[in-house]
């Protein structure tokens, strides 16, 4: 009953706000990401994907006859997400929101957006709970944490076990994650899936993404002597984990990172030799087969032309694809009203390999896109090379040895 009243109140707010918002000459979209602090590089990269999509859409006339205007909202903590939503609605008069690099921020910001009757279109945050809440203003175009767990578990079974010359039932796996809803939701699903395959999960550990010392975590991993280490986290804690493994001389047969570990920042921090053979499960990269992800080469060219650099991380192309889906949803709905957009996306049905990431579009009852997937890449000679799934892999690419040098 409380939730119903909350949604009803949001609908009333929408009725009051919509006439004013729709009188604007552009569609203002609040882009919520960390633009300061330790994750600013990646929040900015996600928004670069939005910017490139906006350039493309505006060059074609915009959406619903209006140009799109992005309004950045710097969000580094869940609490700040609430305040920033309020600010962008009251000061900047945004029509809807898009985000987010951090799941914990998406959780609070989308709830705050609901109070103002604003659509929250999620492209990058993956926590399962975001869609399971059933909010009437929330839609996710990108994959969820279950997709991270599915892909990483499949990689362990289909790539790692054969490479280590072991049956999956003889494989010992340690699952490590940062301790927010992002990492723990993935870890829980990984454990369930791997055990269903018959793998032996010999231990699980969690740590803060802001940790400055992971020696205790690595000691527990060392004592369990796993064949495979699965690590889910962000860039700072992921890099610290790799450094601590090296310092303690811990060398699992294979290391599989989830979500991060595939960027120039990690290469610079860890070095090509230490990274050689590490597998990273993440968003599709620009080296995927063009038939798998049509338009990924065009995205890369547009990125280089606009920013005079190579992409920092694959999250940007995922954000780009998700923003194009948002534009299609708004067009189908003929409105920015959350209820109308949800009704419109429920009817959208596009096959796999429609977008540069290789995604299609088909939304379930919780408005989660079920045709959004992760891929796996491997560090080979200081470069990331896509190695999974087979349909995404370029010709002549092969899996290299997994063991640490």
């Amino acid at each position: 009953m409380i939730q119903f009243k909350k949604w009803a109140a949001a609908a009333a707010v929408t009725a009051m706000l919509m006439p004013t918002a729709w009188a604007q000459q552009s569609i203002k979209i609040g882009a919520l990401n960390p633009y300061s602090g330790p994750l600013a590089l990646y929040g900015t990269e996600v928004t670069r994907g939005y910017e490139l999509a906006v350039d493309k859409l505006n060059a074609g006339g915009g959406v619903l006859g209006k140009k799109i205007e992005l309004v950045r909202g710097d969000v580094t903590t869940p609490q700040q997400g609430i305040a920033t939503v309020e600010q962008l609605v009251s000061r900047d008069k945004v029509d809807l929101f898009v985000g987010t690099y951090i799941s914990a921020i998406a959780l609070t910001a989308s709830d705050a957006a609901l109070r103002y009757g604003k659509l929250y279109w999620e492209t990058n945050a993956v926590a399962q709970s975001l869609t399971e809440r059933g909010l009437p203003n929330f839609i996710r175009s990108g994959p969820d944490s279950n997709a991270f767990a599915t892909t990483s578990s499949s990689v362990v079974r289909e790539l790692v076990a054969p490479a280590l010359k072991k049956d999956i039932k003889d494989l010992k796996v340690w699952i490590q994650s940062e301790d927010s809803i992002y990492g723990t939701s993935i870890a829980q699903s990984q454990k369930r899936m791997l055990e269903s395959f018959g793998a032996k999960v010999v231990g699980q550990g969690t740590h803060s993404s802001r940790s400055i010392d992971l020696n205790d975590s690595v000691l527990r991993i060392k004592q369990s002597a796993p064949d495979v280490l699965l690590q889910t986290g962000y860039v700072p804690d992921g890099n610290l984990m790799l450094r601590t493994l090296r310092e303690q001389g811990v060398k699992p047969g294979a290391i599989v990172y989830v979500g991060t570990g595939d960027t120039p920042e990690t290469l610079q921090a860890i070095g090509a030799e230490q990274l050689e053979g590490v597998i990273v499960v993440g968003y599709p990269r620009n080296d995927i087969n063009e038939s798998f992800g049509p338009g990924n080469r065009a995205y890369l060219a547009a990125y280089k032309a606009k920013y005079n650099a190579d992409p920092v991380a694959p999250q940007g192309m995922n954000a780009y694809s998700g923003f194009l889906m948002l534009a299609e949803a708004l067009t189908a709905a003929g409105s920015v009203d959350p209820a109308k957009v949800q009704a419109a996306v429920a009817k959208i049905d596009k096959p796999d390999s429609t977008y540069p990431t290789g995604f299609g579009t088909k939304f379930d009852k919780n408005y989660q896109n079920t045709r959004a997937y992760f891929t796996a890449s491997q560090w080979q000679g200081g470069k990331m090379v896509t190695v999974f799934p087979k349909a995404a892999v370029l010709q002549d690419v092969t899996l290299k040895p997994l063991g640490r040098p």
Side-chain angles (χ1 to χ4, degrees):
M1 179 61 71
I2 293 175
Q3 188 77 332
F4 175 79
K5 290 180 179 179
K6 179 180 179 182
W7 293 351
V13 173
T14 302
M16 291 186 289
L17 291 178
M18 281 297 290
T20 300
W22 212 231
Q24 297 172 165
Q25 296 305 306
S26 62
I27 297 177
K28 288 188 175 183
I29 301 179
L32 302 181
N33 274 305
Y35 303 118
S36 61
L39 297 177
L41 182 67
Y42 302 99
T44 298
E45 184 70 2
V46 169
T47 298
R48 283 183 171 184
Y50 300 153
E51 289 171 346
L52 290 170
V54 168
D55 288 348
K56 177 181 176 67
L57 293 164
N58 282 345
V63 175
L64 300 178
K66 298 185 179 186
K67 296 292 187 179
I68 301 170
E69 180 183 347
L70 278 182
V71 182
R72 289 193 179 200
D74 183 18
V75 186
T76 60
T77 67
Q79 189 62 35
Q80 191 179 7
I82 299 172
T84 302
V85 164
E86 293 173 348
Q87 183 182 62
L88 265 60
V89 170
S90 60
R91 183 193 67 190
D92 299 289
K93 311 300 181 186
V94 300
D95 297 296
L96 63 141
F97 291 92
V98 67
T100 323
Y101 183 69
I102 302 173
S103 289
I105 290 173
L107 190 71
T108 58
S110 57
D111 192 65
L114 174 61
R115 292 199 292 274
Y116 289 94
K118 302 295 184 181
L119 176 70
Y120 199 99
W121 186 276
E122 185 57 64
T123 62
N124 285 63
V126 301
Q128 201 78 14
S129 59
L130 291 172
T131 48
E132 289 176 345
R133 297 171 299 169
L135 293 188
N137 70 325
F138 192 89
I139 301 170
R140 178 160 49 199
S141 58
D144 60 12
S145 61
N146 191 60
F148 257 141
T150 299
T151 302
S152 57
S153 298
S154 296
V155 164
V156 170
R157 179 174 64 173
E158 298 175 32
L159 289 186
V160 174
L164 295 179
K165 295 180 171 55
K166 289 199 172 191
D167 187 280
I168 186 67
K169 295 181 180 179
D170 297 323
L171 206 64
K172 297 185 296 181
V173 182
W174 179 281
I175 300 173
Q176 184 74 21
S177 72
E178 61 86 39
D179 59 7
S180 77
I181 59 171
Y182 162 61
T184 56
S185 62
I186 294 171
Q188 290 167 2
S189 295
Q190 286 172 330
K191 184 175 187 295
R192 183 180 67 254
M193 292 178 188
L194 286 169
E195 289 182 338
S196 73
F197 296 161
K200 300 174 182 177
V201 177
V202 295
Q204 284 185 271
T206 60
H207 60 266
S208 168
S209 63
R210 298 178 181 269
S211 294
I212 59 173
D213 187 335
L214 290 177
N215 278 293
D216 286 347
S217 294
V218 172
L219 180 59
R220 288 193 292 272
I221 295 170
K222 185 177 183 178
Q223 291 171 340
S224 295
D227 299 305
V228 183
L229 168 62
L230 273 176
Q231 150 76 16
T232 300
Y234 293 102
V235 175
D237 62 298
N239 290 351
L240 180 58
M241 174 63 71
L242 288 169
R243 284 197 297 269
T244 308
L245 289 169
R246 178 175 59 196
E247 291 165 0
Q248 291 201 22
V250 179
K251 299 180 178 181
I255 296 176
V256 179
Y257 263 45
V258 175
T260 57
D262 55 353
T263 67
E265 184 179 358
T266 295
L267 178 62
Q268 183 177 7
I270 306 301
E273 183 179 2
Q274 178 67 13
L275 286 171
E276 186 69 15
V278 171
I279 293 175
V280 180
V281 174
Y283 294 102
R285 305 181 63 82
N286 290 112
D287 71 327
I288 57 176
N289 194 312
E290 183 73 14
S291 63
F292 178 83
N296 73 82
R297 297 291 188 276
Y299 171 84
L300 178 61
Y303 188 103
K304 289 182 176 180
K306 186 176 181 70
Y307 302 112
N308 196 31
D310 288 323
V312 172
Q315 282 86 347
M317 189 167 71
N318 177 75
Y320 172 82
S321 295
F323 203 99
L324 294 181
M325 295 180 204
L326 166 60
E328 292 168 357
L330 295 178
T331 299
S335 171
V336 297
D337 177 69
K340 292 180 180 179
V341 178
Q342 282 192 337
V345 300
K347 300 175 183 178
I348 296 176
D349 188 345
K350 293 192 174 184
D352 293 345
S353 297
T354 293
Y355 301 93
T357 49
F359 299 169
T361 44
K362 181 69 174 178
F363 292 87
D364 65 16
K365 64 179 182 179
N366 290 325
Y367 301 99
Q368 165 63 47
N369 185 11
T370 61
R371 292 179 182 156
Y373 318 99
F374 293 107
T375 58
S377 301
Q378 184 184 40
W379 281 104
Q380 298 181 3
K383 295 181 180 180
M384 289 301 299
V385 178
T386 299
V387 294
F388 184 90
K390 187 176 180 180
V393 179
L394 293 175
Q395 189 175 4
D396 300 327
V397 168
T398 58
L399 187 71
K400 302 298 184 184
L402 303 177
R404 309 278 60 70

